[in-house]
Amino acid sequence: MKFTLGFSPCPNDTFIFDALVNKKIDTGDFEFDVVLEDVQTLNQWAIDGKLDISKISYGVLPLIVQQYKILHSGGALGKGVGPLLISANPVDINAEGFNINDYTIAIPGEHTTAHLLFSLAFPGAKNKIFKIFHEIEGFLLNSTDQKTLGVIIHENRFTYQQKGLYKLIDLGDFWEKKTGYPIPLGGIAIKKNISPAILTKIDQLIQQSIEYAFSNYPYLPEYVTCHSQEMEENVMRQHIDLYVNNYSVDIGKDGKEAVNEFLHIYEHNNPVSSIDHNVFIQH
């Protein structure tokens, strides 16, 4: 039985899925046709219903709940893991006279958690452009416009200072202080039309894949390093340490509550939306 499976080449995803897709664990009759893409592309594909199983940003979840459920394993939630708003020059966002609409803000995808968290902190922001996440640092550094900001995610959290960029606000910290919940960054979406027994089995396999990876950690399998060739190994481990945790093994009660709060905020920001909050597969 074969399923299409999409996730990003980032170390946290390749670390999670290595044992599953490379048959380091017993997957039984299940086979996976794997596609590695950036999260913005995966989000759009989820809207289009392209893949059977896919890593997605929770920011796109309201748009795909008719087609997909979310697994308990494989996701990225946590505290201190959120996106950062940065600039090429020091900017005091708390200064009198600061107006977010004096700036153009580069955001890593429209239907992303980063976009929703930015909108939560700056609900009136209008001048937004959407780029692939790894292009944003370069966009800021190469821009001739001093009035340019960017929202960064993933490994860019660890590299922006080395490039002379400045943090203005931790958007994840803003979420945590406002809601008290861990930050729901991404989850694993799976087609609703797959039978419940198979949904459960795939969920268990991903959990086993993570447990296998952790049992050999801090060893980095080739599957992780070959897809992160421009990244130093210590940065790969920082990435894994930040984004792969107990919530990845099982999202748990507070993780589900965080996602539910996220959906409530989406509905508040999009009053025409009415979302089915029963988004997780049954255990």
Side-chain angles (χ1 to χ4, degrees):
M1 192 176 299
K2 182 175 281 190
F3 298 95
T4 51
L5 168 63
F7 51 88
S8 82
C10 294
N12 58 308
D13 283 349
T14 51
F15 181 79
I16 284 172
F17 286 102
D18 169 50
L20 179 77
V21 302
N22 292 309
K23 303 280 189 178
K24 295 178 180 179
I25 59 172
D26 182 5
T27 61
D29 296 331
F30 296 110
E31 294 186 14
F32 300 94
D33 187 3
V34 177
V35 183
L36 275 68
E37 272 292 352
D38 67 276
V39 71
Q40 188 174 349
T41 300
L42 293 172
N43 286 342
Q44 185 57 55
W45 285 358
I47 292 171
D48 298 338
K50 182 171 181 177
L51 301 176
D52 298 318
I53 311 162
S54 181
K55 176 72 175 287
I56 54 102
S57 298
Y58 276 114
V60 82
L61 180 57
L63 305 180
I64 66 169
V65 291
Q66 299 303 316
Q67 295 188 77
Y68 289 93
K69 287 278 193 182
I70 302 297
L71 299 179
H72 297 98
S73 62
L77 290 87
K79 298 198 172 184
V81 299
L84 308 177
L85 181 66
I86 64 168
S87 66
N89 302 286
V91 176
D92 183 358
I93 62 172
N94 298 310
E96 185 177 351
F98 173 82
N99 185 343
I100 193 66
N101 287 319
D102 291 337
Y103 295 83
T104 298
I105 304 97
I107 294 174
E110 182 176 5
H111 304 301
T112 57
T113 306
H115 185 200
L116 189 141
L117 294 181
F118 173 79
S119 299
L120 184 64
F122 298 97
K126 295 182 174 64
N127 305 320
K128 296 181 279 192
I129 57 174
F130 301 104
K131 291 186 168 291
I132 296 173
F133 79 91
H134 58 73
E135 297 177 349
I136 289 176
E137 287 180 331
F139 173 74
L140 295 179
L141 290 168
N142 297 323
S143 176
T144 56
D145 183 0
Q146 297 286 310
K147 299 284 191 177
T148 306
L149 310 178
V151 177
I152 56 167
I153 57 174
H154 297 328
E155 64 269 16
N156 300 127
R157 284 181 56 99
F158 312 118
T159 59
Y160 75 94
Q161 289 174 307
Q162 300 166 15
K163 298 176 181 177
L165 296 164
Y166 297 86
K167 179 177 77 172
L168 309 186
I169 183 174
D170 184 325
L171 297 169
D173 186 58
F174 184 87
W175 158 275
E176 290 174 47
K177 288 176 178 174
K178 189 173 181 67
T179 70
Y181 289 117
I183 307 155
L185 297 174
I188 308 301
I190 189 164
K191 282 283 184 71
K192 278 184 172 182
N193 60 7
I194 297 171
S195 76
I198 293 175
L199 294 178
T200 299
K201 181 59 179 175
I202 291 172
D203 202 18
Q204 291 169 344
L205 286 173
I206 294 173
Q207 186 175 29
Q208 289 171 29
S209 185
I210 299 167
E211 290 169 344
Y212 179 95
F214 273 133
S215 72
N216 292 283
Y217 194 64
Y219 168 75
L220 293 174
E222 184 183 357
Y223 195 65
V224 173
T225 58
C226 75
H227 290 293
S228 308
Q229 292 175 349
E230 296 181 8
M231 198 183 300
E232 295 178 1
E233 285 199 1
N234 68 307
V235 176
M236 295 181 206
R237 290 191 180 91
Q238 282 180 301
H239 196 110
I240 291 164
D241 292 342
L242 197 63
Y243 296 114
V244 188
N245 52 36
N246 289 338
Y247 292 111
S248 306
V249 178
D250 187 338
I251 190 169
K253 181 175 180 288
D254 59 333
K256 289 181 179 179
E257 289 175 353
V259 173
N260 196 48
E261 178 67 15
F262 193 90
L263 294 174
H264 280 304
I265 290 171
Y266 182 92
E267 287 174 314
H268 177 76
N269 292 344
N270 300 271
V272 297
S273 301
S274 180
I275 304 164
D276 179 4
H277 286 227
N278 183 27
V279 297
F280 291 93
I281 70 164
Q282 295 298 313
H283 251 319

Short mmCIF file of all heavy atoms in Angstrom, two decimals, residues 27 35 45 60 63 87 90 92 103 119-120 128 165 183 191-192 195 208 211 213 220 229 246 267 274 283:
data_model
loop_
_atom_site.label_atom_id
_atom_site.label_comp_id
_atom_site.label_asym_id
_atom_site.label_seq_id
_atom_site.Cartn_x
_atom_site.Cartn_y
_atom_site.Cartn_z
N THR A 27 7.87 -1.11 8.37
CA THR A 27 6.67 -0.39 7.93
C THR A 27 5.62 -1.33 7.37
O THR A 27 4.60 -0.87 6.83
CB THR A 27 7.03 0.67 6.88
OG1 THR A 27 7.61 0.03 5.74
CG2 THR A 27 8.00 1.70 7.45
N VAL A 35 8.25 13.28 -1.33
CA VAL A 35 8.59 14.53 -2.00
C VAL A 35 9.07 15.52 -0.94
O VAL A 35 8.39 15.72 0.07
CB VAL A 35 7.37 15.13 -2.73
CG1 VAL A 35 7.77 16.39 -3.48
CG2 VAL A 35 6.75 14.13 -3.68
N TRP A 45 0.02 22.81 -1.84
CA TRP A 45 -0.38 21.47 -2.28
C TRP A 45 -1.47 20.90 -1.40
O TRP A 45 -2.36 20.19 -1.88
CB TRP A 45 0.84 20.54 -2.28
CG TRP A 45 1.78 20.77 -3.42
CD1 TRP A 45 1.64 21.68 -4.44
CD2 TRP A 45 3.01 20.09 -3.66
NE1 TRP A 45 2.72 21.61 -5.29
CE2 TRP A 45 3.57 20.63 -4.84
CE3 TRP A 45 3.70 19.08 -2.99
CZ2 TRP A 45 4.78 20.19 -5.37
CZ3 TRP A 45 4.91 18.63 -3.51
CH2 TRP A 45 5.44 19.18 -4.69
N VAL A 60 -2.26 27.04 7.61
CA VAL A 60 -3.08 26.63 6.47
C VAL A 60 -4.20 25.68 6.89
O VAL A 60 -5.11 25.41 6.10
CB VAL A 60 -2.20 25.97 5.37
CG1 VAL A 60 -1.91 24.50 5.69
CG2 VAL A 60 -2.84 26.09 3.99
N LEU A 63 -7.90 26.04 6.00
CA LEU A 63 -8.25 25.94 4.58
C LEU A 63 -8.27 24.51 4.07
O LEU A 63 -8.66 24.27 2.93
CB LEU A 63 -7.25 26.76 3.74
CG LEU A 63 -7.10 28.23 4.12
CD1 LEU A 63 -6.09 28.91 3.21
CD2 LEU A 63 -8.44 28.95 4.06
N SER A 87 15.37 42.91 11.09
CA SER A 87 15.65 43.98 10.13
C SER A 87 17.15 44.07 9.88
O SER A 87 17.95 43.51 10.63
CB SER A 87 15.14 45.32 10.66
OG SER A 87 15.87 45.69 11.82
N PRO A 90 18.90 48.55 13.17
CA PRO A 90 18.15 48.58 14.43
C PRO A 90 16.86 49.39 14.29
O PRO A 90 16.87 50.49 13.74
CB PRO A 90 19.13 49.25 15.40
CG PRO A 90 20.48 49.07 14.79
CD PRO A 90 20.27 49.09 13.31
N ASP A 92 13.35 50.33 16.74
CA ASP A 92 12.67 50.21 18.03
C ASP A 92 11.16 50.24 17.78
O ASP A 92 10.58 51.30 17.54
CB ASP A 92 13.08 51.35 18.95
CG ASP A 92 12.45 51.23 20.35
OD1 ASP A 92 11.67 50.28 20.57
OD2 ASP A 92 12.74 52.09 21.20
N TYR A 103 6.64 50.27 6.80
CA TYR A 103 7.59 49.23 6.41
C TYR A 103 6.94 48.20 5.49
O TYR A 103 5.73 47.95 5.56
CB TYR A 103 8.12 48.50 7.65
CG TYR A 103 8.93 49.38 8.57
CD1 TYR A 103 8.30 50.20 9.50
CD2 TYR A 103 10.32 49.42 8.49
CE1 TYR A 103 9.04 51.02 10.34
CE2 TYR A 103 11.06 50.23 9.33
CZ TYR A 103 10.42 51.03 10.25
OH TYR A 103 11.15 51.85 11.08
N SER A 119 0.47 38.57 12.27
CA SER A 119 -0.80 39.31 12.24
C SER A 119 -1.38 39.49 13.63
O SER A 119 -2.07 40.48 13.91
CB SER A 119 -1.81 38.58 11.34
OG SER A 119 -1.32 38.49 10.02
N LEU A 120 -1.11 38.53 14.52
CA LEU A 120 -1.57 38.65 15.90
C LEU A 120 -0.86 39.82 16.59
O LEU A 120 -1.47 40.58 17.35
CB LEU A 120 -1.29 37.34 16.65
CG LEU A 120 -1.79 37.24 18.09
CD1 LEU A 120 -3.31 37.31 18.16
CD2 LEU A 120 -1.30 35.93 18.72
N LYS A 128 2.63 43.69 3.10
CA LYS A 128 3.25 42.38 3.25
C LYS A 128 3.56 41.76 1.89
O LYS A 128 2.76 41.86 0.97
CB LYS A 128 2.32 41.46 4.05
CG LYS A 128 2.09 41.94 5.47
CD LYS A 128 1.18 41.01 6.26
CE LYS A 128 -0.27 41.22 5.96
NZ LYS A 128 -1.17 40.52 6.91
N LEU A 165 22.09 41.00 11.12
CA LEU A 165 20.67 41.38 11.19
C LEU A 165 20.23 41.52 12.64
O LEU A 165 20.87 40.99 13.56
CB LEU A 165 19.83 40.33 10.46
CG LEU A 165 20.11 40.23 8.95
CD1 LEU A 165 19.54 38.95 8.37
CD2 LEU A 165 19.55 41.44 8.21
N ILE A 183 3.59 27.08 21.01
CA ILE A 183 3.35 27.62 19.67
C ILE A 183 3.09 26.47 18.70
O ILE A 183 3.93 25.58 18.54
CB ILE A 183 4.58 28.41 19.18
CG1 ILE A 183 4.98 29.47 20.20
CG2 ILE A 183 4.31 29.05 17.82
CD1 ILE A 183 6.42 29.86 20.13
N LYS A 191 -5.02 12.55 4.51
CA LYS A 191 -6.33 12.58 3.85
C LYS A 191 -7.40 11.88 4.69
O LYS A 191 -7.20 10.78 5.20
CB LYS A 191 -6.23 11.89 2.48
CG LYS A 191 -5.60 12.74 1.38
CD LYS A 191 -6.57 13.77 0.85
CE LYS A 191 -6.00 14.56 -0.32
NZ LYS A 191 -5.89 13.76 -1.54
N LYS A 192 -8.54 12.53 4.79
CA LYS A 192 -9.67 11.99 5.57
C LYS A 192 -10.22 10.69 4.98
O LYS A 192 -10.81 9.89 5.71
CB LYS A 192 -10.80 13.02 5.60
CG LYS A 192 -10.67 14.11 6.63
CD LYS A 192 -11.92 14.98 6.58
CE LYS A 192 -11.96 15.98 7.71
NZ LYS A 192 -13.20 16.79 7.67
N SER A 195 -8.81 4.98 5.58
CA SER A 195 -9.56 4.30 6.64
C SER A 195 -8.96 4.60 8.02
O SER A 195 -7.75 4.77 8.15
CB SER A 195 -9.57 2.79 6.41
OG SER A 195 -8.32 2.22 6.76
N GLN A 208 7.13 5.87 15.88
CA GLN A 208 8.26 4.93 15.98
C GLN A 208 9.50 5.48 15.28
O GLN A 208 10.63 5.29 15.75
CB GLN A 208 7.87 3.58 15.37
CG GLN A 208 6.86 2.79 16.17
CD GLN A 208 6.35 1.57 15.41
OE1 GLN A 208 7.06 1.01 14.57
NE2 GLN A 208 5.12 1.17 15.68
N GLU A 211 11.06 7.97 17.61
CA GLU A 211 11.70 7.28 18.74
C GLU A 211 13.00 6.61 18.30
O GLU A 211 14.00 6.62 19.04
CB GLU A 211 10.72 6.27 19.34
CG GLU A 211 9.57 6.95 20.08
CD GLU A 211 8.45 6.00 20.46
OE1 GLU A 211 8.41 4.87 19.90
OE2 GLU A 211 7.60 6.38 21.29
N ALA A 213 14.93 7.71 15.86
CA ALA A 213 15.90 8.80 15.66
C ALA A 213 16.49 9.25 16.99
O ALA A 213 17.71 9.45 17.11
CB ALA A 213 15.21 9.96 14.94
N LEU A 220 23.75 12.12 13.64
CA LEU A 220 22.93 12.67 12.57
C LEU A 220 23.00 11.73 11.36
O LEU A 220 24.07 11.55 10.78
CB LEU A 220 23.42 14.06 12.16
CG LEU A 220 23.26 15.17 13.19
CD1 LEU A 220 23.92 16.44 12.69
CD2 LEU A 220 21.78 15.42 13.49
N GLN A 229 23.23 20.51 3.39
CA GLN A 229 24.66 20.56 3.08
C GLN A 229 25.31 21.89 3.42
O GLN A 229 26.50 21.95 3.69
CB GLN A 229 24.87 20.23 1.60
CG GLN A 229 24.53 18.78 1.26
CD GLN A 229 24.62 18.49 -0.23
OE1 GLN A 229 24.74 19.40 -1.03
NE2 GLN A 229 24.55 17.23 -0.59
N ASN A 246 8.77 16.41 22.74
CA ASN A 246 7.67 15.52 23.15
C ASN A 246 6.40 15.77 22.36
O ASN A 246 5.61 14.84 22.13
CB ASN A 246 7.39 15.69 24.65
CG ASN A 246 8.50 15.12 25.51
OD1 ASN A 246 9.26 14.26 25.06
ND2 ASN A 246 8.61 15.59 26.74
N GLU A 267 -10.49 32.38 13.29
CA GLU A 267 -11.90 32.71 13.09
C GLU A 267 -12.19 34.16 13.47
O GLU A 267 -12.98 34.84 12.81
CB GLU A 267 -12.78 31.77 13.91
CG GLU A 267 -12.84 30.36 13.34
CD GLU A 267 -13.61 29.40 14.24
OE1 GLU A 267 -13.36 29.40 15.46
OE2 GLU A 267 -14.44 28.65 13.71
N SER A 274 -16.05 29.61 9.46
CA SER A 274 -16.55 28.74 10.53
C SER A 274 -15.87 27.40 10.34
O SER A 274 -16.06 26.73 9.33
CB SER A 274 -18.06 28.59 10.44
OG SER A 274 -18.52 27.75 11.48
N HIS A 283 -7.65 8.64 18.40
CA HIS A 283 -6.61 7.73 18.93
C HIS A 283 -7.12 6.30 18.87
O HIS A 283 -8.29 6.04 19.15
CB HIS A 283 -6.28 8.10 20.37
CG HIS A 283 -4.92 8.73 20.51
ND1 HIS A 283 -3.81 8.30 19.82
CD2 HIS A 283 -4.51 9.78 21.28
CE1 HIS A 283 -2.77 9.04 20.16
NE2 HIS A 283 -3.15 9.95 21.02
#
